[in-house]
Amino acid sequence: MLCSDGILSLFCFIAASLISLLPELLFRLELDIYIVYFTNIWFLHIIQYIFINVLAYLAFRGFAYQVAVRAIFLGYIFGIGILISITASPSWQIFGIYMTILANFHYSEFLAIAWTNPAVLSIDSFILNHSIAYGIAASLSWIEFFIERYYFYELKLPSPVSYFGLILCISGEILRKLAMCTAKHNFNHVVQSEKNDNHELVTHGVYSLCRHPSYVGWFYWSIGTQLILQNPFCFCAYALMSWRFFYDRVLIEEITLLNFFGEDYVKYQEKVGTGLPFISGYKISL
C-alpha cells in the first residue's frame, strides 16, 4: 500500500505535469488570453513553476516539503517533455521524449520504494544525487545533443534509432520496477552490509530470469536514453561506463549475498545468470 509520502509525491507530480500542459491546452481551446500578458511562453512557465513551489513552501514542512519540491520538479519536466515532443520542431522532439523518460525514471524510483519498502524511503530514493559521475554523464549527453543538433541537424531528426531507444528505455524501466515490486522489502538502493531479520533470498518472478533484474533494467534504460538522443559518442561511453559500474556493483552485492545466504545463493547462481552481458558475478565453491 502506498504510504502518505508516496501519495503526496504522486499528487505533486501529477499536478505539476498538468499545470505545465495548461498553457498549451488553453491555446488549443482558444482561451489564450494569457498571451496578452506573456509574449514569451517560457516566461509563463517560469511564473507557473515558481507559483506552485511557493504553494508547496506554504503547505508543507520538513520531509514532506522536500518530497513535494522534487516531485513538482520532475512532474514539470515530464510535462514540458511531452509538450516539446508534440509541438516543437522535429529536431527537438526526441529531446522532449528524452525529458519525459528521464523525469519518469527518477520519480518512479521514489514511488516504487514508497509502495514496496516505505521503511527505507528517503529523499535519496529519487536518486537525483546518484553520484557526481552520473551528473557529469547526463550533462555531457546534453552537450553532445546540442552541438550535434547545431552542426548536424539531420542527425537529430526522429528515426527508427530513437524509437528503438524509447522501446529499450520502456522495457528496461518495466523490468526494473518489476524487480523492485517482486523483491519488496528486500530491495534497497544501497547495498546492505548486514542481514536484516526479514531479509529473504528472492528467486521467483523476474528473479527467475536473471539474478539482477533491477541492474539489467537500469543498464538498458541507460544506453536507451542515448539512442533516443542519437548521441553516438555518449552511446559508446554510456555502454562502457554502465557496464563497468554494474560489473563492480554485482561483485560487491554477490559477495554480500553469499555471506547472507551461503549455499542457497550458490545454487541460485548455478541456475540463473546475472542477465548482464559478459558479467558472471562473484563465484565461489563450497
Side-chain angles (χ1 to χ4, degrees), residues 81-98:
I82 292 175
L83 283 178
I84 293 174
S85 65
I86 63 178
T87 64
S89 62
S91 63
W92 281 113
Q93 288 176 2
I94 60 174
F95 195 80
I97 294 172
Y98 164 82

Side-chain angles (χ1 to χ4, degrees), residues 13-222:
F13 181 85
I14 293 175
S17 299
L18 293 176
I19 291 172
S20 71
L21 297 171
L22 186 60
E24 180 64 21
L25 177 61
L26 292 176
F27 175 77
R28 291 178 181 267
L29 293 175
E30 299 183 354
L31 301 173
D32 49 358
I33 190 172
Y34 63 85
I35 293 178
V36 175
Y37 306 98
F38 299 97
T39 56
N40 188 321
I41 190 66
W42 294 112
F43 183 66
L44 173 59
H45 280 295
I46 292 172
I47 296 299
Q48 286 189 159
Y49 183 71
I50 292 174
F51 177 72
I52 57 178
N53 273 276
V54 170
L55 289 181
Y57 178 78
L58 295 174
F60 307 111
R61 291 291 183 272
F63 183 74
Y65 173 71
Q66 296 299 323
V67 169
V69 294
R70 285 163 176 78
I72 287 171
F73 170 72
L74 293 172
Y76 213 92
I77 293 296
F78 182 85
I80 292 296
I82 292 175
L83 283 178
I84 293 174
S85 65
I86 63 178
T87 64
S89 62
S91 63
W92 281 113
Q93 288 176 2
I94 60 174
F95 195 80
I97 294 172
Y98 164 82
M99 289 174 65
T100 62
I101 288 293
L102 187 66
N104 181 74
F105 173 79
H106 284 283
Y107 173 67
S108 63
E109 287 291 299
F110 182 89
L111 187 66
I113 292 295
W115 182 276
T116 62
N117 195 10
V120 299
L121 189 68
S122 71
I123 295 303
D124 291 338
S125 298
F126 286 104
I127 59 173
L128 287 168
N129 57 341
H130 178 268
S131 66
I132 294 176
Y134 182 81
I136 292 174
S139 300
L140 289 176
S141 73
W142 305 337
I143 292 171
E144 180 180 350
F145 178 86
F146 297 143
I147 291 175
E148 290 174 351
R149 181 187 177 274
Y150 183 81
Y151 289 104
F152 308 101
Y153 176 84
E154 295 80 6
L155 183 61
K156 300 307 178 183
L157 296 177
S159 74
V161 172
S162 55
Y163 293 126
F164 176 72
L166 176 60
I167 293 172
L168 204 60
C169 283
I170 294 174
S171 300
E173 178 82 89
I174 291 173
L175 178 61
R176 181 169 171 82
K177 295 310 180 287
L178 284 174
M180 296 171 75
C181 291
T182 302
K184 296 181 181 179
H185 63 271
N186 297 287
F187 184 91
N188 198 307
H189 281 125
V190 179
V191 177
Q192 302 298 290
S193 58
E194 296 183 4
K195 183 181 178 182
N196 296 324
D197 293 337
N198 62 346
H199 201 162
E200 303 169 339
L201 177 59
V202 181
T203 60
H204 63 279
V206 290
Y207 285 87
S208 65
L209 303 176
C210 52
R211 298 202 301 271
H212 301 280
S214 65
Y215 294 163
V216 174
W218 197 353
F219 175 79
Y220 286 108
W221 176 89
S222 174

